[in-house]
Coordinates of all heavy atoms in Angstrom, one line a residue:
M22 N -14.1 -38.7 12.9 CA -15.5 -38.7 13.3 C -15.9 -40.2 13.5 O -15.6 -41.0 12.7 CB -16.3 -38.1 12.2 CG -17.8 -38.2 12.5 SD -18.9 -37.6 11.2 CE -18.6 -35.9 11.4
V23 N -16.6 -40.5 14.6 CA -17.1 -41.8 14.9 C -18.4 -42.1 14.2 O -19.3 -41.2 14.2 CB -17.3 -42.0 16.4 CG1 -17.9 -43.3 16.7 CG2 -15.9 -41.8 17.1
N24 N -18.5 -43.2 13.5 CA -19.7 -43.6 12.9 C -20.6 -44.2 14.0 O -20.3 -45.2 14.5 CB -19.4 -44.7 11.8 CG -20.7 -45.1 11.1 OD1 -21.8 -45.1 11.6 ND2 -20.5 -45.5 9.8
T25 N -21.7 -43.5 14.3 CA -22.5 -44.0 15.4 C -23.2 -45.3 15.2 O -23.6 -45.9 16.1 CB -23.6 -42.9 15.7 OG1 -24.4 -42.7 14.5 CG2 -23.0 -41.6 16.2
A26 N -23.2 -45.8 14.0 CA -23.7 -47.1 13.7 C -22.9 -48.2 14.5 O -23.4 -49.3 14.8 CB -23.8 -47.4 12.2
Y27 N -21.6 -47.9 14.7 CA -20.7 -48.8 15.4 C -20.3 -48.3 16.7 O -19.5 -49.0 17.4 CB -19.5 -49.0 14.5 CG -19.8 -49.5 13.1 CD1 -19.6 -48.7 12.0 CD2 -20.3 -50.8 13.0 CE1 -19.9 -49.2 10.8 CE2 -20.6 -51.3 11.7 CZ -20.4 -50.5 10.6 OH -20.7 -50.9 9.4
D28 N -20.9 -47.2 17.2 CA -20.5 -46.7 18.5 C -21.3 -47.3 19.6 O -22.2 -46.7 20.1 CB -20.6 -45.2 18.5 CG -20.1 -44.5 19.7 OD1 -19.3 -45.2 20.5 OD2 -20.4 -43.3 20.0
T29 N -20.8 -48.5 20.1 CA -21.4 -49.1 21.3 C -20.7 -48.9 22.5 O -21.0 -49.5 23.6 CB -21.6 -50.6 21.0 OG1 -20.3 -51.2 20.8 CG2 -22.5 -50.9 19.8
A30 N -19.6 -48.1 22.5 CA -18.8 -47.8 23.7 C -19.6 -47.3 24.8 O -19.2 -47.4 26.0 CB -17.6 -46.9 23.3
G31 N -20.7 -46.6 24.6 CA -21.5 -46.0 25.6 C -22.4 -47.0 26.4 O -23.0 -46.7 27.4
Q32 N -22.4 -48.3 25.9 CA -23.2 -49.3 26.5 C -22.6 -49.7 27.9 O -21.4 -49.7 28.0 CB -23.3 -50.5 25.7 CG -24.1 -50.4 24.4 CD -24.2 -51.7 23.7 OE1 -23.5 -52.6 24.0 NE2 -25.1 -51.7 22.7
S33 N -23.4 -50.1 28.8 CA -22.9 -50.6 30.1 C -22.4 -52.0 29.8 O -22.9 -52.7 28.9 CB -24.0 -50.6 31.1 OG -25.0 -51.5 30.8
P34 N -21.4 -52.5 30.5 CA -20.9 -53.9 30.3 C -22.0 -54.9 30.3 O -22.0 -55.9 29.5 CB -19.9 -54.1 31.4 CG -19.5 -52.7 31.8 CD -20.7 -51.8 31.6
A35 N -23.1 -54.8 31.1 CA -24.1 -55.7 31.2 C -25.0 -55.7 29.9 O -25.7 -56.7 29.6 CB -25.0 -55.5 32.4
A36 N -24.9 -54.6 29.1 CA -25.7 -54.5 27.9 C -25.2 -55.4 26.8 O -25.9 -55.6 25.8 CB -25.9 -53.1 27.5
S37 N -24.0 -55.8 26.9 CA -23.3 -56.5 25.8 C -22.9 -57.9 26.1 O -22.2 -58.1 27.1 CB -22.1 -55.7 25.3 OG -21.3 -56.5 24.4
P38 N -23.4 -58.9 25.4 CA -22.9 -60.3 25.7 C -21.4 -60.4 25.4 O -20.8 -61.3 26.1 CB -23.7 -61.1 24.7 CG -24.1 -60.2 23.6 CD -24.3 -58.9 24.2
W39 N -20.8 -59.6 24.6 CA -19.4 -59.6 24.3 C -18.6 -59.3 25.6 O -17.6 -59.8 25.9 CB -19.0 -58.8 23.1 CG -19.7 -59.2 21.9 CD1 -20.8 -58.6 21.3 CD2 -19.4 -60.3 21.1 NE1 -21.2 -59.3 20.2 CE2 -20.4 -60.4 20.0 CE3 -18.5 -61.4 21.2 CZ2 -20.4 -61.4 19.1 CZ3 -18.5 -62.4 20.2 CH2 -19.4 -62.4 19.2
A40 N -19.1 -58.2 26.3 CA -18.4 -57.8 27.5 C -18.4 -58.9 28.5 O -17.4 -59.1 29.3 CB -19.0 -56.6 28.1
A41 N -19.4 -59.7 28.6 CA -19.5 -60.8 29.5 C -18.5 -61.9 29.3 O -18.1 -62.6 30.2 CB -20.9 -61.4 29.5
V42 N -17.9 -62.0 28.1 CA -16.9 -62.9 27.8 C -15.6 -62.3 27.6 O -14.7 -62.9 27.0 CB -17.3 -63.8 26.6 CG1 -18.5 -64.8 27.0 CG2 -17.6 -63.0 25.4
G43 N -15.4 -61.0 28.0 CA -14.1 -60.4 28.0 C -13.7 -59.6 26.8 O -12.5 -59.3 26.6
V44 N -14.7 -59.3 25.9 CA -14.3 -58.5 24.7 C -14.6 -57.0 25.1 O -15.7 -56.7 25.5 CB -15.2 -58.9 23.5 CG1 -15.0 -58.0 22.3 CG2 -15.0 -60.4 23.2
S45 N -13.6 -56.2 24.9 CA -13.7 -54.8 25.2 C -14.7 -54.1 24.3 O -15.0 -54.6 23.2 CB -12.3 -54.1 25.1 OG -12.0 -53.9 23.7
A46 N -15.2 -52.9 24.8 CA -16.1 -52.1 24.0 C -15.6 -51.8 22.6 O -16.3 -51.9 21.6 CB -16.5 -50.9 24.7
F47 N -14.3 -51.4 22.6 CA -13.7 -51.0 21.3 C -13.6 -52.2 20.4 O -13.9 -52.2 19.2 CB -12.4 -50.3 21.4 CG -11.8 -50.0 20.0 CD1 -12.3 -49.0 19.2 CD2 -10.8 -50.8 19.5 CE1 -11.8 -48.8 17.9 CE2 -10.3 -50.6 18.2 CZ -10.8 -49.6 17.4
D48 N -13.2 -53.4 20.9 CA -13.0 -54.6 20.1 C -14.4 -55.0 19.6 O -14.5 -55.5 18.5 CB -12.4 -55.7 21.0 CG -10.9 -55.4 21.2 OD1 -10.3 -54.4 20.7 OD2 -10.3 -56.2 21.9
E49 N -15.4 -54.8 20.4 CA -16.8 -55.2 19.9 C -17.2 -54.2 18.7 O -17.7 -54.7 17.7 CB -17.8 -55.0 21.0 CG -19.2 -55.3 20.5 CD -20.2 -55.1 21.6 OE1 -19.9 -54.9 22.8 OE2 -21.4 -55.3 21.3
V50 N -16.9 -52.9 18.9 CA -17.2 -52.0 17.8 C -16.4 -52.4 16.5 O -17.0 -52.4 15.4 CB -16.8 -50.5 18.3 CG1 -16.8 -49.6 17.1 CG2 -17.7 -50.1 19.4
L51 N -15.2 -52.7 16.7 CA -14.4 -53.1 15.5 C -14.9 -54.4 14.9 O -15.0 -54.5 13.7 CB -12.9 -53.2 15.9 CG -12.0 -53.7 14.7 CD1 -12.0 -52.7 13.6 CD2 -10.6 -53.9 15.3
Y52 N -15.2 -55.4 15.7 CA -15.7 -56.6 15.2 C -17.0 -56.4 14.4 O -17.2 -56.9 13.3 CB -16.0 -57.6 16.4 CG -16.7 -58.8 16.0 CD1 -16.1 -59.9 15.4 CD2 -18.1 -59.0 16.3 CE1 -16.7 -61.0 15.0 CE2 -18.7 -60.1 15.9 CZ -18.1 -61.2 15.3 OH -18.7 -62.3 14.9
Q53 N -17.9 -55.5 14.9 CA -19.1 -55.2 14.2 C -18.8 -54.5 12.8 O -19.5 -54.8 11.8 CB -20.1 -54.3 15.0 CG -20.6 -55.0 16.2 CD -21.5 -56.2 15.9 OE1 -22.2 -56.2 14.9 NE2 -21.5 -57.2 16.7
A54 N -17.8 -53.6 12.9 CA -17.4 -52.9 11.6 C -16.9 -53.9 10.6 O -17.3 -53.9 9.4 CB -16.4 -51.9 11.9
I55 N -16.1 -54.9 11.1 CA -15.6 -55.9 10.2 C -16.7 -56.8 9.7 O -16.7 -57.2 8.5 CB -14.4 -56.7 10.9 CG1 -13.3 -55.8 11.2 CG2 -14.0 -57.9 10.0 CD1 -12.2 -56.4 12.1
L56 N -17.6 -57.2 10.5 CA -18.7 -58.0 10.2 C -19.6 -57.4 9.1 O -20.0 -58.0 8.1 CB -19.5 -58.3 11.4 CG -20.6 -59.4 11.3 CD1 -20.0 -60.7 11.0 CD2 -21.4 -59.4 12.7
N57 N -19.8 -56.1 9.3 CA -20.7 -55.3 8.4 C -20.0 -54.8 7.1 O -20.7 -54.5 6.1 CB -21.4 -54.2 9.1 CG -22.4 -54.7 10.1 OD1 -23.2 -55.5 9.8 ND2 -22.2 -54.3 11.4
Q58 N -18.7 -54.5 7.2 CA -17.9 -54.0 6.1 C -16.7 -54.8 5.9 O -15.6 -54.3 6.1 CB -17.6 -52.5 6.3 CG -18.8 -51.6 6.5 CD -19.5 -51.4 5.2 OE1 -18.8 -51.3 4.1 NE2 -20.8 -51.2 5.2
P59 N -16.8 -56.1 5.5 CA -15.6 -57.0 5.5 C -14.5 -56.5 4.5 O -13.3 -56.8 4.7 CB -16.2 -58.3 5.1 CG -17.5 -58.0 4.5 CD -18.0 -56.8 5.1
D60 N -14.9 -55.8 3.5 CA -13.9 -55.5 2.5 C -13.3 -54.1 2.7 O -12.4 -53.6 1.9 CB -14.5 -55.5 1.1 CG -14.9 -57.0 0.7 OD1 -14.2 -57.9 1.1 OD2 -16.0 -57.1 0.1
A61 N -13.6 -53.4 3.8 CA -13.1 -52.1 4.0 C -11.6 -52.1 4.3 O -10.9 -51.1 4.1 CB -13.9 -51.4 5.2
G62 N -11.1 -53.1 4.9 CA -9.7 -53.2 5.3 C -9.4 -52.3 6.5 O -10.2 -51.6 7.0
A63 N -8.2 -52.4 7.0 CA -7.8 -51.8 8.2 C -8.0 -50.3 8.1 O -8.5 -49.6 9.1 CB -6.3 -52.1 8.5
A64 N -7.7 -49.6 7.0 CA -7.8 -48.2 6.9 C -9.3 -47.8 6.9 O -9.7 -46.9 7.6 CB -7.2 -47.7 5.6
G65 N -10.1 -48.6 6.3 CA -11.6 -48.4 6.3 C -12.2 -48.6 7.6 O -13.0 -47.8 8.1
W66 N -11.7 -49.6 8.3 CA -12.3 -49.9 9.7 C -11.8 -48.8 10.6 O -12.6 -48.5 11.5 CB -11.8 -51.3 10.2 CG -12.3 -52.4 9.3 CD1 -13.5 -52.5 8.6 CD2 -11.6 -53.6 8.9 NE1 -13.6 -53.6 7.9 CE2 -12.4 -54.3 8.1 CE3 -10.4 -54.1 9.3 CZ2 -12.0 -55.6 7.6 CZ3 -10.0 -55.3 8.8 CH2 -10.8 -56.0 7.9
A67 N -10.6 -48.2 10.4 CA -10.2 -47.1 11.2 C -11.1 -45.9 11.1 O -11.5 -45.3 12.0 CB -8.8 -46.7 10.9
L68 N -11.5 -45.7 9.8 CA -12.5 -44.6 9.6 C -13.8 -44.9 10.2 O -14.4 -44.0 10.8 CB -12.6 -44.3 8.1 CG -11.4 -43.7 7.4 CD1 -11.6 -43.7 5.8 CD2 -11.2 -42.3 7.9
L69 N -14.3 -46.1 10.0 CA -15.6 -46.4 10.5 C -15.7 -46.3 12.1 O -16.7 -46.0 12.6 CB -16.0 -47.9 10.1 CG -16.3 -48.1 8.7 CD1 -16.4 -49.6 8.3 CD2 -17.7 -47.4 8.4
T70 N -14.6 -46.7 12.7 CA -14.6 -46.7 14.2 C -14.0 -45.4 14.8 O -14.1 -45.2 16.0 CB -13.8 -47.8 14.7 OG1 -12.4 -47.7 14.3 CG2 -14.3 -49.2 14.3
G71 N -13.4 -44.5 14.0 CA -12.8 -43.3 14.5 C -11.5 -43.6 15.2 O -11.1 -42.7 16.0
A72 N -10.9 -44.7 15.0 CA -9.6 -45.0 15.6 C -8.5 -44.9 14.7 O -8.6 -44.9 13.5 CB -9.7 -46.5 16.2
S73 N -7.3 -44.9 15.3 CA -6.1 -44.9 14.4 C -5.9 -46.3 13.8 O -6.3 -47.3 14.3 CB -4.9 -44.5 15.3 OG -4.5 -45.6 16.1
P74 N -5.2 -46.3 12.7 CA -4.9 -47.6 12.1 C -4.1 -48.6 13.0 O -4.3 -49.8 13.0 CB -4.1 -47.3 10.8 CG -4.5 -45.9 10.5 CD -4.8 -45.2 11.8
G75 N -3.2 -48.0 13.8 CA -2.5 -48.8 14.8 C -3.4 -49.4 15.8 O -3.2 -50.6 16.2
R76 N -4.3 -48.7 16.3 CA -5.3 -49.2 17.3 C -6.1 -50.3 16.7 O -6.4 -51.4 17.3 CB -6.2 -48.1 17.8 CG -7.1 -48.6 18.9 CD -7.9 -47.5 19.6 NE -8.6 -48.1 20.7 CZ -9.7 -47.5 21.3 NH1 -10.1 -46.3 20.8 NH2 -10.3 -48.1 22.3
V77 N -6.5 -50.1 15.4 CA -7.2 -51.2 14.7 C -6.4 -52.4 14.5 O -6.9 -53.5 14.8 CB -7.7 -50.6 13.3 CG1 -8.3 -51.8 12.4 CG2 -8.8 -49.6 13.6
R78 N -5.1 -52.3 14.2 CA -4.3 -53.5 14.0 C -4.1 -54.2 15.3 O -4.2 -55.5 15.4 CB -2.9 -53.1 13.4 CG -2.9 -52.8 12.0 CD -1.5 -52.6 11.4 NE -0.8 -51.5 12.0 CZ -0.9 -50.3 11.5 NH1 -1.7 -50.0 10.5 NH2 -0.2 -49.3 12.1
E79 N -3.9 -53.5 16.4 CA -3.8 -54.1 17.7 C -5.1 -54.9 18.1 O -5.0 -56.0 18.6 CB -3.5 -53.1 18.8 CG -2.1 -52.5 18.7 CD -1.9 -51.4 19.6 OE1 -2.8 -51.0 20.5 OE2 -0.8 -50.8 19.6
A80 N -6.2 -54.2 17.9 CA -7.5 -54.9 18.2 C -7.7 -56.1 17.3 O -8.3 -57.1 17.7 CB -8.6 -53.9 18.0
C81 N -7.3 -56.0 16.0 CA -7.5 -57.2 15.1 C -6.7 -58.3 15.7 O -7.1 -59.5 15.6 CB -7.1 -56.8 13.7 SG -8.3 -55.9 12.8
N82 N -5.5 -58.1 16.2 CA -4.7 -59.1 16.7 C -5.4 -59.8 17.9 O -5.4 -61.0 18.1 CB -3.3 -58.6 17.1 CG -2.4 -58.4 15.9 OD1 -2.6 -59.0 14.9 ND2 -1.5 -57.5 16.1
R83 N -6.0 -59.0 18.8 CA -6.8 -59.5 19.9 C -7.9 -60.3 19.4 O -8.2 -61.4 20.0 CB -7.3 -58.4 20.8 CG -6.2 -57.7 21.7 CD -6.8 -56.8 22.8 NE -7.5 -55.7 22.2 CZ -7.0 -54.5 21.8 NH1 -5.7 -54.3 21.9 NH2 -7.8 -53.6 21.4
L84 N -8.7 -59.8 18.4 CA -9.8 -60.5 17.9 C -9.4 -61.9 17.2 O -10.2 -62.8 17.3 CB -10.6 -59.6 16.9 CG -11.3 -58.4 17.6 CD1 -11.8 -57.5 16.5 CD2 -12.4 -58.8 18.5
L85 N -8.3 -61.9 16.6 CA -7.7 -63.1 16.0 C -7.5 -64.1 17.2 O -7.8 -65.3 17.1 CB -6.5 -62.9 15.2 CG -6.6 -62.4 13.8 CD1 -5.3 -61.8 13.3 CD2 -7.1 -63.5 12.9
T86 N -6.8 -63.7 18.2 CA -6.5 -64.5 19.4 C -7.8 -65.1 20.0 O -7.8 -66.2 20.4 CB -5.7 -63.7 20.4 OG1 -4.4 -63.3 19.8 CG2 -5.3 -64.6 21.6
L87 N -8.8 -64.3 20.1 CA -10.0 -64.7 20.7 C -10.9 -65.6 19.8 O -11.8 -66.2 20.2 CB -10.9 -63.5 21.1 CG -10.4 -62.6 22.2 CD1 -11.1 -61.3 22.3 CD2 -10.5 -63.4 23.5
G88 N -10.5 -65.7 18.5 CA -11.2 -66.5 17.6 C -12.4 -65.8 16.9 O -13.3 -66.4 16.3
L89 N -12.5 -64.5 17.0 CA -13.6 -63.7 16.4 C -13.3 -63.4 15.0 O -14.2 -63.0 14.2 CB -13.8 -62.4 17.2 CG -14.3 -62.7 18.7 CD1 -14.5 -61.4 19.4 CD2 -15.7 -63.4 18.6
L90 N -12.0 -63.4 14.6 CA -11.7 -63.2 13.2 C -11.0 -64.4 12.6 O -10.3 -65.1 13.4 CB -10.7 -62.0 13.1 CG -11.2 -60.6 13.5 CD1 -10.1 -59.6 13.3 CD2 -12.5 -60.3 12.7
Q91 N -11.1 -64.7 11.4 CA -10.4 -65.7 10.7 C -9.1 -65.1 10.1 O -9.2 -64.0 9.6 CB -11.2 -66.3 9.5 CG -12.5 -67.0 9.9 CD -13.3 -67.4 8.7 OE1 -13.1 -67.0 7.6 NE2 -14.3 -68.1 9.0
P92 N -8.0 -65.8 10.2 CA -6.8 -65.2 9.7 C -6.9 -65.0 8.2 O -7.6 -65.7 7.5 CB -5.7 -66.2 10.0 CG -6.3 -67.3 10.7 CD -7.8 -67.1 10.8
P93 N -6.1 -64.1 7.6 CA -6.1 -63.9 6.2 C -5.6 -65.2 5.5 O -4.8 -65.9 6.0 CB -5.1 -62.8 5.9 CG -4.8 -62.2 7.2 CD -5.2 -63.2 8.3
D94 N -6.2 -65.4 4.3 CA -5.7 -66.6 3.5 C -5.3 -66.0 2.1 O -5.3 -64.8 1.9 CB -6.8 -67.6 3.4 CG -8.1 -67.1 2.7 OD1 -8.1 -66.1 2.0 OD2 -9.1 -67.8 2.9
S95 N -5.0 -66.9 1.2 CA -4.6 -66.5 -0.1 C -5.6 -65.7 -0.9 O -5.3 -65.0 -1.8 CB -4.1 -67.7 -0.9 OG -5.2 -68.6 -1.1
M96 N -6.9 -65.8 -0.4 CA -8.0 -65.2 -1.2 C -8.3 -63.8 -0.7 O -9.0 -63.0 -1.3 CB -9.3 -66.0 -1.1 CG -9.1 -67.4 -1.7 SD -8.7 -67.3 -3.4 CE -10.2 -66.6 -4.1
G97 N -7.7 -63.4 0.5 CA -8.1 -62.0 0.9 C -7.7 -61.8 2.4 O -6.9 -62.5 3.0
G98 N -8.3 -60.7 2.9 CA -8.0 -60.3 4.2 C -8.7 -60.9 5.3 O -9.3 -62.0 5.2
L99 N -8.8 -60.3 6.5 CA -9.5 -60.8 7.7 C -11.0 -60.9 7.4 O -11.5 -60.0 6.7 CB -9.2 -59.9 8.8 CG -7.8 -59.8 9.4 CD1 -7.7 -58.6 10.4 CD2 -7.4 -61.1 10.0
R100 N -11.6 -61.9 8.0 CA -13.0 -62.0 8.0 C -13.5 -62.3 9.4 O -12.9 -63.0 10.1 CB -13.5 -63.2 7.0 CG -13.2 -62.9 5.6 CD -14.1 -61.9 5.0 NE -13.9 -61.7 3.6 CZ -13.6 -60.6 3.0 NH1 -13.4 -59.5 3.8 NH2 -13.5 -60.5 1.8
A101 N -14.7 -61.7 9.7 CA -15.3 -62.0 11.0 C -15.9 -63.4 11.0 O -16.5 -63.8 10.0 CB -16.4 -60.9 11.3
V102 N -15.7 -64.1 12.1 CA -16.4 -65.3 12.3 C -17.9 -65.0 12.7 O -18.2 -64.0 13.3 CB -15.7 -66.1 13.5 CG1 -16.5 -67.3 13.9 CG2 -14.3 -66.4 13.2
D103 N -18.8 -65.9 12.2 CA -20.2 -65.7 12.5 C -20.4 -65.5 14.0 O -19.9 -66.2 14.8 CB -20.9 -67.0 12.0 CG -22.4 -66.9 12.2 OD1 -22.9 -66.7 13.4 OD2 -23.2 -67.0 11.2
P104 N -21.1 -64.4 14.4 CA -21.2 -64.1 15.8 C -21.8 -65.2 16.6 O -21.5 -65.4 17.8 CB -22.2 -62.9 15.8 CG -22.3 -62.4 14.4 CD -21.8 -63.5 13.5
R105 N -22.7 -66.0 16.1 CA -23.3 -67.1 16.8 C -22.3 -68.2 17.2 O -22.3 -68.7 18.2 CB -24.5 -67.7 16.0 CG -25.7 -66.7 15.8 CD -26.6 -67.2 14.8 NE -25.9 -67.3 13.5 CZ -26.4 -67.5 12.3 NH1 -27.7 -67.6 12.2 NH2 -25.7 -67.5 11.2
V106 N -21.4 -68.4 16.2 CA -20.3 -69.4 16.4 C -19.3 -68.8 17.4 O -18.9 -69.5 18.3 CB -19.7 -69.8 15.1 CG1 -18.4 -70.6 15.3 CG2 -20.7 -70.4 14.2
A107 N -18.9 -67.6 17.2 CA -17.9 -66.9 18.0 C -18.3 -66.8 19.5 O -17.5 -67.1 20.3 CB -17.6 -65.5 17.4
I108 N -19.5 -66.4 19.7 CA -19.9 -66.2 21.1 C -20.0 -67.5 21.9 O -19.6 -67.6 23.0 CB -21.2 -65.4 21.3 CG1 -21.4 -64.8 22.7 CG2 -22.4 -66.2 20.9 CD1 -20.7 -63.6 23.0
R109 N -20.4 -68.5 21.2 CA -20.5 -69.9 21.8 C -19.1 -70.4 22.2 O -18.9 -70.9 23.2 CB -21.2 -70.9 20.9 CG -22.7 -70.8 20.9 CD -23.3 -72.0 20.2 NE -24.5 -71.4 19.5 CZ -24.7 -71.5 18.2 NH1 -23.8 -72.1 17.4 NH2 -25.7 -71.0 17.6
A110 N -18.1 -70.2 21.2 CA -16.8 -70.6 21.5 C -16.2 -69.8 22.7 O -15.5 -70.4 23.5 CB -15.9 -70.4 20.3
L111 N -16.4 -68.5 22.8 CA -15.9 -67.7 23.9 C -16.6 -68.1 25.2 O -15.9 -68.2 26.2 CB -16.2 -66.2 23.7 CG -15.3 -65.6 22.6 CD1 -15.8 -64.1 22.3 CD2 -13.9 -65.5 23.1
I112 N -17.8 -68.5 25.2 CA -18.5 -68.9 26.4 C -17.9 -70.2 26.9 O -17.6 -70.4 28.1 CB -20.0 -69.0 26.2 CG1 -20.6 -67.6 26.1 CG2 -20.7 -69.8 27.3 CD1 -22.0 -67.6 25.6
R113 N -17.7 -71.2 25.9 CA -17.1 -72.5 26.3 C -15.7 -72.3 26.9 O -15.3 -73.0 27.8 CB -17.1 -73.4 25.1 CG -18.4 -74.1 24.8 CD -18.2 -75.2 23.8 NE -17.7 -74.7 22.5 CZ -18.5 -74.4 21.5 NH1 -19.8 -74.4 21.6 NH2 -18.0 -74.0 20.4
A114 N -15.0 -71.3 26.3 CA -13.6 -71.1 26.8 C -13.5 -70.4 28.1 O -12.5 -70.5 28.8 CB -12.8 -70.3 25.7
A115 N -14.6 -69.7 28.5 CA -14.5 -68.9 29.8 C -14.6 -69.8 31.0 O -15.0 -70.9 31.0 CB -15.7 -67.9 29.8

């Protein structure tokens, strides 16, 4: 079941600033889930987004590459980069 709080896939590309910088609708949904539930982990984010754990892992790798997630460190798992910082970096890179 998809948690509609994170279901932005129905938005048109113009409705999302993330789409304008090349972030897919699913990657945006996952980023928002990670931002709002940072301690849920991959299994929790899969439940929140209604996606398989494999799809979540693949999307996390893309988000890491884009700089939207911080890599795990000795203190814990993935963390979302502040959206204001992340979007500016993506715009500069575009």
Side-chain angles (χ1 to χ4, degrees):
M22 176 186 286
V23 174
N24 181 333
T25 56
Y27 302 110
D28 186 13
T29 59
Q32 291 182 347
S33 68
S37 169
W39 299 104
V42 291
V44 177
S45 75
F47 177 74
D48 289 357
E49 179 184 354
V50 168
L51 177 60
Y52 173 75
Q53 292 296 327
I55 295 168
L56 190 63
N57 292 307
Q58 299 287 327
D60 297 323
W66 300 324
L68 288 172
L69 287 167
T70 61
S73 70
R76 184 173 185 200
V77 167
R78 283 190 297 277
E79 289 172 5
C81 283
N82 287 333
R83 285 190 299 274
L84 293 171
L85 278 164
T86 300
L87 290 169
L89 295 175
L90 298 181
Q91 297 173 349
D94 60 20
S95 61
M96 298 301 293
L99 295 170
R100 293 286 183 240
V102 172
D103 182 301
R105 296 167 295 193
V106 173
I108 196 82
R109 280 189 218 123
L111 287 172
I112 290 169
R113 279 193 298 268

